[in-house]
Amino acid sequence: MTAKRCRIGVVATGSRFDAQMAQRVTALSERTYGEAGPEIVFHPQCFLGEGHFAGPDAARAGAFLEFANDPSFDAVWIARGGYGAGRLTDLVLPRLKPAAAAKAYMGYSDAAALLGPLYALDFPHVVHGPMPADIARPGGEAAVLRALSWLAFRAPEALEPSVRSGAPTAAFNLSILSTLIGTPWQPDLTGHVLMVEEVSEHMYRIDRLLLHITSNRGVRRAAGLKLGRCSLIPQNDPDFARTEEEVARYWCERSGIAWLGLADIGHDVENKVVPFGLC
């Protein structure tokens, strides 16, 4: 019997995606996997534009719901980041059907503003991982293939190395996790290894974000915190005089959260896959 071909639907929850990049992603998959590879379906909504966004909120929510509620899809893959996913939460979550809980959802950065609430609803296959837009980065084909290898084949080499430690995991951009804190969509991180990363934020803002996050009682019930890469940090004036690792260690010690070291995640082509919950 021929194995069922994985079917992946791509939607843009934030900024517009480029049609040429979509073609590159599809061609890369076909070149790598041939007929055994996944079928990747880019929703036409990905290519809409309304200012910053890939179409109005209703169009982005509608595309997400169309693919999430369609039982023929095995996964929903967020096309790219860029602010916008959080605007869809109240438009999407009440309208999800039982078929939506059976599939995987992958993205990172702004996408976690929707992925985190899905996990809060006990969706079992929420995943931090590379997105189609990563193909535009130098060396980005490796990131895209890492995501596809997990979505289509559950390849263990795609995972962040510490994922299989036996503890449940979760991964967030610091800014996005901070926006979920104290809302109805804050996921239960009790006993989780929490991995965080950041991009394009000053050190004082990284410090502020860690202060806010580690002050939360729910976060303090985590098994511990691992710090991913904090990249493109603007120069602070005056110099902040502490590195991101020093700041993370400080707030772990002050809050009583276990410091678990560094995580292999970040806004770069080395970004690894982290399933939410147990792998």
Side-chain angles (χ1 to χ4, degrees), residues 50-254:
E50 184 176 88
H52 168 89
F53 302 108
D57 291 351
R60 302 196 321 280
F64 187 94
L65 286 165
E66 180 182 337
F67 280 1
N69 289 332
D70 185 341
S72 73
F73 285 102
D74 302 288
V76 173
W77 197 13
I78 308 302
R80 58 162 297 168
Y83 170 66
R87 293 170 61 102
L88 308 185
T89 306
D90 63 338
L91 301 177
V92 164
L93 299 187
R95 298 162 62 192
L96 291 170
K97 298 178 180 179
K103 54 179 56 67
Y105 298 84
M106 179 180 281
Y108 72 102
S109 190
D110 182 74
L114 194 49
L115 299 181
L118 288 174
Y119 191 57
L121 290 180
D122 295 325
F123 275 48
H125 308 298
V126 176
V127 189
H128 160 103
M131 298 180 288
D134 285 311
I135 201 164
R137 302 179 188 270
E141 289 190 350
V144 170
L145 289 176
R146 185 180 308 117
L148 290 174
S149 72
W150 177 255
L151 288 173
F153 306 110
R154 296 298 189 268
E157 60 269 22
L159 295 170
E160 202 280 338
S162 66
V163 160
R164 298 204 168 196
S165 65
T169 52
F172 287 93
N173 172 264
L174 277 170
S175 297
I176 300 304
L177 177 57
S178 181
T179 65
L180 293 174
I181 295 294
T183 73
W185 308 119
Q186 178 180 340
D188 183 1
L189 298 174
T190 302
H192 287 61
V193 173
L194 174 61
M195 305 182 200
V196 293
E197 53 82 28
E198 191 51 88
V199 65
S200 300
E201 295 287 2
H202 288 82
M203 276 305 311
Y204 78 88
R205 283 190 52 82
I206 292 173
D207 185 88
R208 180 190 290 159
L209 289 165
L210 282 163
L211 181 164
H212 178 60
I213 289 166
T214 60
S215 297
N216 180 260
R217 291 180 181 179
V219 173
R220 290 185 177 188
R221 292 195 290 268
L225 183 139
K226 292 174 72 75
L227 180 67
R229 289 175 288 282
C230 295
S231 56
L232 302 177
I233 300 174
Q235 182 63 40
N236 207 81
D237 184 16
D239 185 23
F240 198 75
R242 287 188 180 184
T243 67
E244 59 270 32
E245 182 176 346
E246 289 171 334
V247 166
R249 284 176 176 268
Y250 173 82
W251 286 112
C252 281
E253 180 179 354
R254 184 160 161 178

